[in-house]
Amino acid sequence: MKKAFAPIVPKGARVLILGTMPGEKSLELQQYYGNRGNQFWKILYAMTNEDFSNDYNERKMLLVKYKIAVWDVLAFCERAGSLDSAIKNETPNDLDAFYKMHPEIKYVFFSSKNAAAYYDKYVGRDANHIYDVLPSPSGANATMRFAAKLEVWKQKMMPLIT
């Protein structure tokens, strides 16, 4: 059974990025988006014009600086490997309770279509939030080049975090 991480919620965060469930490397390192093949951190650093860092504490401070919350839709699941397509027997996180604790969050971005699908299945979208799906930063998403992913993330998120 795989167990997701606690959320990172900077004070004043209005933006939440939801993944599905941390992959094997992320679970091993106990770091959000810990797999080097995942472009999440590269996108955030490039999008904000900050100097890239591999240090996880500095990465978390980037989230704090730009008031970006990060969590996953699923709390637990069974999965061999890291692919979302291998997920079974999943249990969602209690996002309703999360939103009650963090009412300032208004914008919810999914870091993959699968995260959005699990959210729709277990939580459902409401009128209190604005939702959007970003191109997956996963190395498994090779259909889009880095520059194209970065451009979409920038267009959708930068007006909300600056």
Side-chain angles (χ1 to χ4, degrees):
M1 185 66 70
K2 313 285 184 197
K3 182 182 184 302
F5 308 135
I8 297 173
V9 189
K11 186 176 181 177
R14 297 180 330 131
V15 171
L16 170 63
I17 300 175
L18 285 172
T20 306
M21 169 64 77
E24 289 296 314
K25 191 65 175 176
S26 295
L27 291 168
E28 176 189 321
L29 296 172
Q30 288 295 291
Q31 297 179 3
Y32 276 102
Y33 302 97
N35 186 318
R36 285 182 173 216
N38 191 298
Q39 298 172 327
F40 178 85
W41 295 109
K42 289 177 187 168
I43 289 171
L44 281 190
Y45 275 98
M47 182 174 80
T48 57
N49 292 315
E50 299 280 347
D51 293 332
F52 184 80
S53 176
N54 281 314
D55 181 270
Y56 190 58
N57 287 323
E58 289 183 22
R59 289 175 168 186
K60 290 190 290 186
M61 291 312 297
L62 182 76
L63 297 173
V64 170
K65 180 176 180 178
Y66 289 94
K67 298 178 177 157
I68 300 170
V70 177
W71 206 19
D72 287 300
V73 176
L74 301 180
F76 299 96
C77 74
E78 292 177 22
R79 178 180 64 199
S82 296
L83 295 177
D84 285 353
S85 59
I87 290 174
K88 58 185 181 179
N89 298 323
E90 66 273 6
T91 303
N93 273 311
D94 188 348
L95 281 136
D96 291 331
F98 176 84
Y99 292 138
K100 285 180 181 138
M101 288 176 57
H102 305 286
E104 66 280 6
I105 290 178
K106 296 293 178 213
Y107 303 95
V108 179
F109 290 95
F110 302 103
S111 67
S112 71
K113 290 176 185 170
N114 288 323
Y118 281 114
Y119 188 94
D120 291 342
K121 179 178 179 179
Y122 291 111
V123 183
R125 302 185 195 201
D126 61 44
N128 298 322
H129 299 94
I130 298 167
Y131 302 91
D132 209 339
V133 180
L134 298 166
S136 174
S138 169
N141 177 18
T143 58
M144 242 179 144
R145 294 188 176 274
F146 175 81
K149 290 179 190 181
L150 174 60
E151 191 55 36
V152 174
W153 280 60
K154 239 189 220 188
Q155 285 176 0
K156 294 182 178 196
M157 287 190 63
M158 282 310 290
L160 306 174
I161 62 170
T162 51

